[in-house]
């Protein structure tokens, strides 16, 4: 739209706003602001309006701007531009605008500013901020309404963003003439040094690039101001974004400097209030390799990085190497780096530009709004875009390659803030002031006045509205940007004072949506294979049926002599025990697939009781048989007679004792330390698909607080019973007795049960984390031992009764034979053994008597040979006559004794 200059020639030298100097004050209405008709002293420029249009309208819309102008050699003093506010009034109505004659520069007194610009180092912000400051000095010095009697001059050095280097130059600034009325450092580390020392020289410090939260400490830095907002202003924005995207866990990595440490401390407090957790915090001094590896190891996803630009290149070179970027990760960085900071050649890293570009893609930056987005005219009569264009022409390099280009508006407005404060101090605003040339490092009065003027600053700058809070920090909006396709795109603004987030919905994500703040862990339970469970359950069911058949057979044929001699009641207990043990297979295979969490303790107790009682009844009855056989037939001869009479109650008492021990142990266990559901967690598993989830396998167990102690007690005495049973079975393998005619079968069953149990118990403990293998070993051991026991004990009896037809009872058998004792082979064998033992005693006595007689005969023969010497042999060959020869041997036949002679 065409801008027309309407100069209304006015005679007097003063231009006053309506309401000043007798002019009429426009009324505030909802339609906008009443049009200002200038008095005759000057003129007003109405944008886009012709002279006739100005005469025809009474109101101008909100945000409309007018500009005062002067003719000839005069210049405007006071507000040059006024803006229509939403409340229907014009800006700065309390300050008149006037035209004054220009003062020659030669008559103006110099006021010196000592500045430290970091042209290199961690933040080379001086590359753009120094030209911006020089622009501001030119603009301020050219204005006759601001410091008309003074000229601001700059003395500067390159601090290299190094406190040590800054100390040297600070000494030169303070101890070399001329006197500086204010100091302007850049980096936070340098500002900390300068601001802490400035109080000793009564100097105001105004920084254009310091963001350290520590500088907000008024006790430590009483004369410090900054047009750059505190770094903590980023933190409310970060927290707001965390909440927007639903992130509850973040990680941080920082360079070890005060500005970043204090910023991170503030962030930690804010996220804690918002219910967000910093799960991992890393720091480094110069080499970020190890911290980045630690972030990768800890599965950090949302990462806040706080470091200078040079260190950022090192960090993201390591990020590329560790593959800590892409759709699973989001990095939050500081927004005041150069736009192409990741493309700048850096000999300290060994990553290419393409690798760096790939690593930084998609990261988020939070940046203080340093350029007025409204593009309205500032106090310097420049819009923000005009400022950028003017500054770009002064730079030697492209803005993207120039450090501090984004902070340049802050440096420009810092000079204006200083100029306005000095103007107010010196009385340039129409009040009686002080002479600035009287300032020295001992004059605290002037310093206090400059401080009050600076503290009350409020004006529109190219960076936006400039105002300081109680700590001397600038209040501003936060700009949110995202690196998309190698360039930064604005995605929103945030006003922390009003908690107002303006979102443009232009954010883009590599994976199509914001990633999760951590790997999505899906907890999955490892359930028992249903095919295995069903198969074993079928075998167990068939085993229970077999046990019932065997029990029924034994009860039905309990009157049969052969069955009676096998202690059928103990065999019945064995069948019942096998049934209970087989029934334990069903709860042993039940898990979360079949039952709920509340039912798990009952299943655990069912496993324990069924298996414990089943073992005690089944194995205990067999152990009792084999123990009795061993007791009777392996004792000394003199103690056997009174044990040959079998008393069944003793056998039942032994089984009852074993069962009672189990019941007592299990009851105490259940009362003192009951079994309950516990979860075993395994290492995370990555799915084959490229999705941001991890599988966390879990396995349910039945356990108690002192599980190992109870298992030690339980397995201890059970193991002793098994080993003792094996020993007794081996010792009685050749014994034959009528009272327990199946003890050899019992011994065979004990062998099998003992071997299976002794192997299965430790194996299942080792394989407890493998549900299928552990269940298979335990359940099949129960099934096989039960099957073997039932088959070995009952099938031979069934076969004998079926094939031989021995179905009659003891009374029927006695009636047919007349004597049950004569028809019993075992009874006859016992009687024959008794008779043989008696005969052996008689023979032994006879042999002893014969030995005595032989000794007597030999004695007599020797005596006779001494009395009667031997006679010579008879030539005729006749035998000598004499007494008969002694017997040569003694032979026994039955009860008779015969002497045999030679």
């Amino acid at each position: 739209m065409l801008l027309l200059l309407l100069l209304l020639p006015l005679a007097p030298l003063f231009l006053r706003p309506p309401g000043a100097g007798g002019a009429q004050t426009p009324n505030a209405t909802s339609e906008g602001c009443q049009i200002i008709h200038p008095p005759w002293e000057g003129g007003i420029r109405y944008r886009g309006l012709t002279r006739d249009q100005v005469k025809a309208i009474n109101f101008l819309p909100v945000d409309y701007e007018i500009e005062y102008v002067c003719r000839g050699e005069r210049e405007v003093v006071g507000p040059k531009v006024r803006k229509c506010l939403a409340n229907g009034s014009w800006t700065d109505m309390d300050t008149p605008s006037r035209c004054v004659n220009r003062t020659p520069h030669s008559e103006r007194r110099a006021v010196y500013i000592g500045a430290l610009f970091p042209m290199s180092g961690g933040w080379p912000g001086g590359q753009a901020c120094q030209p911006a400051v020089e622009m501001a000095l030119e603009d301020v010095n050219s204005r006759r309404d601001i410091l008309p009697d003074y000229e601001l001059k700059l003395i500067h050095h390159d601090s290299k963003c190094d406190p040590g280097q800054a100390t040297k130059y600070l000494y030169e600034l303070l101890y070399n003439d001329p006197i500086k009325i204010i100091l302007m450092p850049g980096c936070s580390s340098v500002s900390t040094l300068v601001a802490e020392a400035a109080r000793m020289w009564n100097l105001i410090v105004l920084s254009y690039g310091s963001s350290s939260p520590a500088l907000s400490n008024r006790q430590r830095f009483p004369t410090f101001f900054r047009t750059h907002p505190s770094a903590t202003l980023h933190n409310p924005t970060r927290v707001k974004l965390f909440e927007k995207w639903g992130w509850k866990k973040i990680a941080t990595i920082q360079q070890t400097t005060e500005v970043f440490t204090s910023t991170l401390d503030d962030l930690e407090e804010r996220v804690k209030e918002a219910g967000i957790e910093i799960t991992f915090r890393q720091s480094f001094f110069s080499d970020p390799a190890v911290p980045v590896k630690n972030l990768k190891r800890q599965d950090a996803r949302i990462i806040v990085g706080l470091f200078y630009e040079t260190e950022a290149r090192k960090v993201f070179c390591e990020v590329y190497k560790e593959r800590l970027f892409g759709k699973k990760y989001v990095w939050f960085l500081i927004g005041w780096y150069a736009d192409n900071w990741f493309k700048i050649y850096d000999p300290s890293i060994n990553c290419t530009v393409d690798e760096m570009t790939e690593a930084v893609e998609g990261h988020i930056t939070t940046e203080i709004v340093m350029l007025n987005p409204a593009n309205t005219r500032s106090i310097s009569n420049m819009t923000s875009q005009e400022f950028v264009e003017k500054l770009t022409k002064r730079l030697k390099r492209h803005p993207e390659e120039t450090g501090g280009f984004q902070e340049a508006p802050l440096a420009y407005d810092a000079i204006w803030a200083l100029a306005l404060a000095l103007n107010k101090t010196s009385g340039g605003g129409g009040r009686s002031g002080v002479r600035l040339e009287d300032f020295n490092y001992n004059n605290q009065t002037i310093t206090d006045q400059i401080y009050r003027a600076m503290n009350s600053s409020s004006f529109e700058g190219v960076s936006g509205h400039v105002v300081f809070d109680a700590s001397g920090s600038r209040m501003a909006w936060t700009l949110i940007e995202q690196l998309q396709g190698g360039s930064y795109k604005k995605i929103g603004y945030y006003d922390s004072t009003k908690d107002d987030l303006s979102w443009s919905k232009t954010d883009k994500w590599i994976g199509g949506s914001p990633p999760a703040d951590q790997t999505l862990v899906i907890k999955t339970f490892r359930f028992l294979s249903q095919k295995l469970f069903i198969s074993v359950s079928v075998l167990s069911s068939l085993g229970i049926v077999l046990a019932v058949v065997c029990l029924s057979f034994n009860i039905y044929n309990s009157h049969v002599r052969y069955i009676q001699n096998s202690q059928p009641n103990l065999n019945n207990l064995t069948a019942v025990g096998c049934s209970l043990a087989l029934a334990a297979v069903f709860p042993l295979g039940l898990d979360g697939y079949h039952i709920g969490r509340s039912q798990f303790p009952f299943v655990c107790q069912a496993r324990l009781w069924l298996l414990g009682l089943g073992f005690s009844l089944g194995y205990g009855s067999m152990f009792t048989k084999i123990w009795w056989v061993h007791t009777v037939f392996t004792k000394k001869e003199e103690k056997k007679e009174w044990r040959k009479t079998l008393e069944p109650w003793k056998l039942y008492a032994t089984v009852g004792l074993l069962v009672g021990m189990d019941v007592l142990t299990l009851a105490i266990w259940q009362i003192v330390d009951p079994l309950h559901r516990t979860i075993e967690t395994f290492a995370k598993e990555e799915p084959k698909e490229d999705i941001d989830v991890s599988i966390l396998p879990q396995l349910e167990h039945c356990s108690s607080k002192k599980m190992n102690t109870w298992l030690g007690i339980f397995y201890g005495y059970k193991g002793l019973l098994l080993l003792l049973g094996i020993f007794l079975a081996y010792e009685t393998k050749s014994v034959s007795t009528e009272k327990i005619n199946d003890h050899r079968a019992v011994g065979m069953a004990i062998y099998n049960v003992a071997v299976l149990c002794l192997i299965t118990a430790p194996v299942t403990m080792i394989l407890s984390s493998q549900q299928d293998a552990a269940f298979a070993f335990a359940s099949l051991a129960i099934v096989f031992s039960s099957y073997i026991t039932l088959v070995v004990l009952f099938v031979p009896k069934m076969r004998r009764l079926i094939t031989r037809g021995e179905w009659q009872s003891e009374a029927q058998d006695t009636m047919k034979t007349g004597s049950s004792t004569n028809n019993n082979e075992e009874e006859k064998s016992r009687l024959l053994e008794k008779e043989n033992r008696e005969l052996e005693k008689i023979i032994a006595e006879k042999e002893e008597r014969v030995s005595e007689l032989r000794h007597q005969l030999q004695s007599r023969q020797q005596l006779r040979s001494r009395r009667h010497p031997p006679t010579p042999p008879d030539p005729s060959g006749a035998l000598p006559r004499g007494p008969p020869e002694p017997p040569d041997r003694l032979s026994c036949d039955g009860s008779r004794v015969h002497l045999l002679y030679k």
Side-chain angles (χ1 to χ4, degrees):
M1 182 180 292
L2 180 63
L3 297 179
L4 300 178
L5 177 62
L6 301 178
L7 290 178
L8 302 180
L10 305 172
L13 294 177
F14 296 98
L15 291 172
R16 298 185 181 274
Q24 185 180 359
T25 303
N27 298 325
T29 68
S30 59
E31 301 178 11
C33 300
Q34 188 173 355
I35 191 169
I36 295 178
H37 295 286
W40 294 101
E41 298 100 359
I44 293 180
R45 177 183 292 149
Y46 297 92
R47 293 183 303 156
L49 297 177
T50 64
R51 183 185 300 269
D52 296 336
Q53 289 175 332
V54 172
K55 294 179 179 180
I57 62 176
N58 293 320
F59 294 94
L60 293 174
V62 176
D63 292 336
Y64 187 83
E65 293 182 349
I66 61 174
E67 181 181 359
Y68 288 91
V69 293
C70 292
R71 293 178 295 178
E73 297 298 325
R74 300 181 181 89
E75 60 184 358
V76 177
V77 175
K80 191 175 182 179
V81 177
R82 298 186 189 278
K83 182 179 180 180
C84 179
L85 302 178
N87 60 6
S89 64
W90 297 92
T91 58
D92 300 325
M93 295 298 291
D94 58 339
T95 304
S97 298
R98 54 180 180 162
C99 292
V100 298
N101 293 323
R102 294 182 181 176
T103 303
H105 286 273
S106 59
E107 299 178 6
R108 303 171 71 181
R109 294 177 292 276
V111 176
Y112 292 94
I113 302 170
L116 296 173
F117 295 107
M119 308 305 291
S120 59
W123 177 64
Q127 296 176 5
C129 290
Q130 180 179 337
V133 167
E134 292 171 349
M135 280 178 53
L137 289 174
E138 294 174 1
D139 293 340
V140 168
N141 289 332
S142 65
R143 291 279 295 266
R144 301 317 312 144
D145 57 330
I146 300 176
L147 296 174
D149 300 327
Y150 299 95
E151 181 180 3
L152 299 179
K153 292 187 177 182
L154 181 68
I155 299 176
H156 61 88
H157 298 283
D158 179 11
S159 68
K160 298 181 180 179
C161 206
D162 178 24
Q165 191 78 9
T167 303
K168 171 187 174 184
Y169 291 125
L170 177 61
Y171 181 87
E172 293 181 3
L173 289 172
L174 294 175
Y175 287 96
N176 293 336
D177 290 331
I179 293 177
K180 289 76 181 176
I181 200 169
I182 197 167
L183 297 177
M184 292 185 62
C187 295
S188 294
S189 57
V190 174
S191 296
T192 302
L193 170 72
V194 173
E196 202 161 20
R199 61 189 299 180
M200 307 303 297
W201 275 267
N202 293 312
L203 281 169
I204 299 294
V205 179
L206 178 59
S207 176
Y208 53 87
S210 301
S211 60
S212 173
L215 292 168
S216 298
N217 188 339
R218 266 288 179 244
Q219 281 71 34
R220 185 179 175 188
F221 311 106
T223 61
F224 180 78
F225 292 89
R226 52 182 165 184
T227 54
H228 193 300
S230 170
T232 56
L233 199 60
H234 294 263
N235 291 335
T237 307
R238 293 177 178 131
V239 173
K240 189 68 175 180
L241 294 178
F242 297 156
E243 293 175 339
K244 173 180 173 59
W245 288 316
W247 294 328
K248 293 296 182 181
K249 293 185 177 182
I250 63 172
T252 63
I253 178 173
Q254 64 157 112
Q255 185 179 353
T256 309
T257 60
E258 184 181 23
V259 56
F260 299 130
T261 300
S262 54
T263 301
L264 195 53
D265 291 340
D266 178 77
L267 176 63
E268 193 166 11
E269 294 179 3
R270 292 179 184 272
V271 297
K272 187 176 181 180
E273 293 175 359
I276 301 171
E277 178 186 4
I278 296 181
T279 57
F280 203 60
R281 183 169 174 173
Q282 285 288 291
S283 62
F284 65 94
F285 183 73
S286 59
D287 185 5
V290 174
V292 172
K293 289 181 180 179
N294 291 338
L295 290 175
K296 178 70 172 182
R297 189 180 302 113
Q298 295 295 326
D299 192 34
R301 297 304 181 89
I302 313 303
I303 308 169
V304 178
L306 301 175
F307 27 73
Y308 286 116
E309 180 178 320
T310 53
E311 306 305 318
R313 285 188 282 269
K314 296 179 183 178
V315 170
F316 275 88
C317 185
E318 297 299 328
V319 166
Y320 179 82
K321 295 175 183 177
E322 297 296 328
R323 311 302 296 177
L324 201 63
F325 64 92
K327 65 180 182 180
K328 297 181 181 180
Y329 305 94
V330 178
W331 282 83
F332 281 79
L333 302 182
I334 303 169
W336 39 256
Y337 302 158
D339 287 348
N340 66 334
W341 63 270
F342 51 91
K343 297 180 181 179
I344 298 175
Y345 171 74
D346 191 338
S348 63
I349 64 174
N350 56 358
C351 293
T352 65
V353 174
D354 292 339
E355 292 172 344
M356 292 291 291
T357 303
E358 184 180 1
V360 300
E361 179 64 24
H363 75 261
I364 305 293
T365 64
T366 53
E367 175 186 352
I368 305 302
V369 176
M370 302 178 186
L371 193 66
N372 190 354
N375 201 32
T376 57
R377 294 194 175 276
S378 65
I379 192 172
S380 64
N381 198 31
M382 273 197 305
T383 65
S384 56
Q385 291 301 319
E386 291 173 351
F387 166 78
V388 171
E389 294 171 2
K390 188 176 179 180
L391 177 63
T392 303
K393 295 178 181 179
R394 299 177 69 104
L395 298 178
K396 299 178 181 179
R397 294 185 295 178
H398 193 276
E400 292 186 355
E401 301 176 357
T402 305
F405 183 79
Q406 295 177 341
E407 290 78 14
L410 304 179
Y412 183 85
D413 286 343
I415 295 297
W416 276 96
L418 171 62
L420 293 174
L422 294 178
N423 186 63
K424 188 178 296 185
T425 302
S426 65
R431 304 177 183 88
S432 59
V434 298
R435 288 164 47 90
L436 298 181
E437 61 268 24
D438 293 339
F439 173 80
N440 58 58
Y441 299 143
N442 296 317
N443 194 332
Q444 188 175 356
T445 302
I446 297 180
T447 301
D448 292 341
Q449 292 191 31
I450 297 175
Y451 177 88
R452 287 192 292 269
M454 186 73 73
N455 202 37
S456 61
S457 296
S458 178
F459 64 93
E460 293 296 327
V462 293
S463 62
H465 188 67
V466 179
V467 63
F468 300 106
D469 62 13
S471 63
S473 298
R474 168 84 176 275
M475 303 297 293
W477 280 42
T478 306
L479 170 65
I480 307 166
E481 293 183 316
Q482 185 181 36
L483 190 70
Q484 301 176 3
S487 61
Y488 287 101
K489 305 294 183 183
K490 296 178 183 179
I491 59 176
Y493 290 92
Y494 181 65
D495 183 1
S496 59
T497 59
K498 300 179 181 179
D499 191 25
D500 180 24
L501 178 64
S502 301
W503 201 248
S504 61
K505 298 182 180 180
T506 56
D507 51 316
K508 294 182 180 179
W509 304 96
I510 298 176
S513 61
D517 57 0
Q518 60 181 336
T519 301
L520 180 60
V521 179
I522 301 177
K523 296 180 180 180
T524 59
F525 284 96
R526 291 179 174 178
F527 296 126
L528 181 65
S529 170
Q530 295 308 298
K531 293 182 180 179
L532 176 62
F533 177 60
I534 293 173
S535 301
V536 177
S537 297
V538 170
L539 291 176
S540 179
S541 301
L542 294 177
I544 293 174
V545 172
L546 176 61
V548 172
V549 171
C550 294
L551 180 62
S552 302
F553 165 81
N554 217 42
I555 295 174
Y556 181 78
N557 295 288
S558 59
H559 62 281
V560 178
R561 181 72 180 179
Y562 182 70
I563 300 298
Q564 290 177 347
N565 288 338
S566 66
Q567 294 300 319
N569 290 331
L570 291 181
N571 289 341
N572 292 342
L573 293 179
T574 301
V576 173
C578 290
S579 300
L580 293 177
L582 289 168
V585 171
F586 300 106
L588 197 64
L590 294 178
D591 50 25
Y593 184 83
H594 306 92
I595 60 176
R597 184 175 181 177
S598 60
Q599 300 170 319
F600 215 88
F602 300 102
V603 174
C604 293
Q605 297 295 341
R607 295 178 184 178
L608 189 61
W609 282 89
L610 288 175
L611 198 55
L613 295 179
F615 180 87
S616 297
L617 290 173
Y619 181 81
S621 58
M622 296 190 297
F623 175 83
T624 300
K625 282 186 180 183
I626 209 71
W627 171 79
W628 185 86
V629 172
H630 181 271
T631 301
V632 171
F633 290 98
T634 59
K635 296 298 181 180
K636 295 182 179 180
E637 298 294 336
E638 63 270 15
K639 295 182 179 181
K640 285 184 178 180
E641 293 297 328
W642 64 277
R643 298 188 183 191
K644 290 178 182 177
T645 303
L646 179 62
E647 299 180 11
W649 70 268
K650 294 182 178 180
L651 301 179
Y652 306 148
T654 304
V655 177
L657 177 63
L658 295 176
V659 175
M661 289 178 61
D662 268 2
V663 171
L664 180 63
T665 303
L666 293 176
I668 295 175
W669 186 353
Q670 184 173 355
I671 295 172
V672 175
D673 189 16
L675 290 173
H676 58 275
R677 176 179 178 264
T678 58
I679 303 297
E680 179 183 6
T681 302
F682 300 90
K684 295 178 182 179
E685 299 175 355
E686 298 295 333
K688 296 180 180 179
E689 299 81 5
D690 185 20
I691 56 178
D692 193 19
V693 298
S694 289
I695 306 299
L696 184 64
Q698 293 182 328
L699 184 61
E700 296 170 306
H701 291 289
C702 287
S703 183
S704 59
K705 295 179 180 178
K706 297 183 178 180
M707 186 72 173
N708 293 333
T709 302
W710 294 109
L711 288 180
I713 296 173
F714 208 68
Y715 286 166
Y717 84 84
K718 295 290 185 184
L720 291 176
L721 283 178
L722 291 172
L723 294 176
L724 184 58
I726 293 175
F727 170 75
L728 296 178
Y730 177 78
E731 287 290 310
T732 59
K733 63 181 179 179
S734 59
V735 174
S736 176
T737 175
E738 65 165 80
K739 296 299 182 181
I740 302 179
N741 57 20
D742 60 350
H743 76 280
R744 290 191 179 91
V746 170
M748 184 180 298
I750 287 177
Y751 284 142
N752 288 278
V753 171
V755 171
L756 285 173
C757 291
L758 292 175
I759 293 175
T760 303
V763 170
T764 52
M765 293 182 67
I766 295 173
L767 299 177
S768 61
S769 298
Q770 304 178 31
Q771 70 280 6
D772 290 344
F775 174 77
F777 267 93
S779 60
L780 291 179
I782 294 172
V783 170
F784 288 152
S785 60
S786 300
Y787 270 80
I788 291 172
T789 299
L790 294 173
V791 170
V792 169
L793 288 184
F794 293 98
V795 171
K797 296 180 179 59
M798 295 178 182
R799 181 174 176 275
R800 175 162 180 155
L801 265 62
I802 293 174
T803 56
R804 298 189 181 183
E806 297 181 5
W807 302 99
Q808 60 274 17
S809 65
E810 181 180 2
Q812 293 173 336
D813 189 34
T814 302
M815 292 175 60
K816 290 182 180 180
T817 60
S819 176
S820 61
T821 303
N822 294 334
N823 294 331
N824 192 300
E825 295 180 359
E826 291 188 1
E827 185 66 21
K828 288 191 293 183
S829 175
R830 189 177 65 80
L831 294 175
L832 288 175
E833 288 179 0
K834 181 177 180 181
E835 186 177 357
N836 286 337
R837 284 194 295 270
E838 293 175 353
L839 290 175
E840 287 175 357
K841 290 181 180 180
I842 295 173
I843 292 172
E845 292 175 355
K846 297 297 182 180
E847 286 180 348
E848 184 177 357
R849 180 62 181 163
V850 169
S851 177
E852 291 177 355
L853 292 174
R854 180 180 295 174
H855 181 68
Q856 292 175 1
L857 290 175
Q858 288 178 351
S859 299
R860 291 177 182 177
Q861 186 177 8
Q862 292 176 357
L863 181 61
R864 185 179 299 170
S865 61
R866 292 194 198 99
R867 294 178 180 179
H868 304 282
T871 57
D874 189 357
S876 61
L879 294 172
R881 299 180 66 182
E885 296 181 358
D888 181 65
R889 61 179 176 173
L890 184 66
S891 175
C892 298
D893 182 10
S895 61
R896 300 178 181 181
V897 178
H898 302 280
L899 295 177
L900 303 179
Y901 298 90
K902 289 184 180 179

